[in-house]
Amino acid sequence: MTSIFQRAMGSDFDRLHPQLQRRFSVGLDSGEACTGTGTMDEILHGRSFVRPFLALGGSRNILVPRAGRNIPFVIENVPYQDSYGRETVTFVRTFRFPGRPRRFDATMVFSPERGCIVDYLGTHQHLASDLHLTADRAGALVIRSGEHRFREGPVDARVPQLIAGDAVARESYDDEAGCFRIEVRVSNRRFGLLLGYRGTFTAQYKDVATCGVRTGLRPVREEARV
């Protein structure tokens, strides 16, 4: 049985901490979904001029338009088959800011053509990013973004590096604390930090056949192009 993450990582998957191996085995073959519940110690933004862009992205659940500390959050990883027959896993993060929760939506597929995970961002999958996954020496999962593409109707354009955000995420398991640790940094080569967050969470696993994909978890629009 192989998940989309196992296919993307190959033998490197076996170098992950056992708890990470289970978490990233969620898929149609395993029949499991995973819900992580925890707290973001901090959510950071870059300089003030990036905030309007984060607010624009936030209107489609892309990135996080607010900053804060000690923010409760939930991440939902649920596998399903999309309308194009591809195995897909949701990465829907809900940050429970005071007054109004904010969501950062992503859906992931494995692309044999690109040889990596393709991460569709937002409610309408307007942005597609290549993700390259590796295990580090400590058994943590390191995810680095590659090329970004914008898709809307007939438009199919590569996002120039001048304005693109390069993401690096590291997820590990803390045996002593009994929890996962996540740290994400999105930056631009010219303008520096755009968004960053770090926190901890615990995971619960459910049978996909029983829990299904709840209403509102799948994107409004699905994109066929990788």
Side-chain angles (χ1 to χ4, degrees):
M1 296 188 295
T2 57
S3 68
I4 63 172
F5 309 103
Q6 289 171 283
R7 279 175 266 168
M9 295 184 69
S11 61
D12 206 30
F13 186 85
D14 297 330
R15 297 178 53 236
L16 293 174
H17 187 286
Q19 291 288 348
L20 286 166
Q21 289 186 35
R22 183 179 184 189
R23 204 174 108 65
F24 287 90
S25 291
V26 296
L28 297 178
D29 281 347
S30 70
E32 282 193 325
C34 177
T35 300
T37 305
T39 302
M40 284 298 167
D41 297 327
E42 60 179 356
I43 301 173
L44 303 174
H45 289 169
R47 288 179 283 178
S48 59
F49 67 82
V50 307
R51 293 172 189 168
F53 299 100
L54 293 175
L56 179 62
S59 67
R60 291 293 175 91
N61 291 355
I62 301 175
L63 301 178
V64 188
R66 293 183 61 180
R69 294 181 179 273
N70 300 318
I71 305 298
F73 82 101
V74 174
I75 179 168
E76 297 172 89
N77 302 122
V78 182
Y80 66 93
Q81 188 175 75
D82 73 6
S83 56
Y84 299 104
R86 302 172 299 186
E87 180 175 359
T88 306
V89 178
T90 66
F91 268 71
V92 173
R93 290 142 285 200
T94 302
F95 301 91
R96 303 195 184 283
F97 288 98
R100 179 188 174 188
R102 304 305 297 246
R103 272 177 48 161
F104 180 6
D105 292 6
T107 42
M108 300 188 184
V109 304
F110 173 68
S111 170
E113 299 88 351
R114 303 190 71 86
C116 65
I117 296 291
V118 174
D119 186 19
Y120 293 104
L121 300 180
T123 56
H124 291 65
Q125 296 191 342
H126 287 312
L127 288 174
S129 299
D130 293 345
L131 297 183
H132 304 283
L133 285 60
T134 58
D136 70 13
R137 293 182 179 180
L141 176 64
V142 179
I143 304 175
R144 298 181 185 275
S145 65
E147 182 181 289
H148 307 285
R149 299 166 296 282
F150 178 79
R151 273 73 182 269
E152 172 60 31
V155 177
D156 184 357
R158 181 178 179 179
V159 179
Q161 285 295 332
L162 179 65
I163 60 173
D166 296 320
V168 178
R170 184 179 188 271
E171 186 169 322
S172 61
Y173 190 79
D174 186 327
D175 286 294
E176 185 174 342
C179 65
F180 293 89
R181 295 189 179 277
I182 180 70
E183 184 168 0
V184 175
R185 182 180 177 89
V186 183
S187 58
N188 177 271
R189 296 182 183 183
R190 180 176 180 180
F191 301 113
L193 177 71
L194 302 178
L195 169 71
Y197 56 79
R198 62 179 178 86
T200 59
F201 64 95
T202 57
Q204 292 185 324
Y205 299 90
K206 297 181 180 179
D207 183 352
V208 177
T210 301
C211 70
V213 184
R214 70 169 179 81
T215 302
L217 202 61
R218 291 180 60 158
V220 175
R221 165 187 172 270
E222 292 180 338
E223 174 60 62
R225 294 167 288 187
V226 295

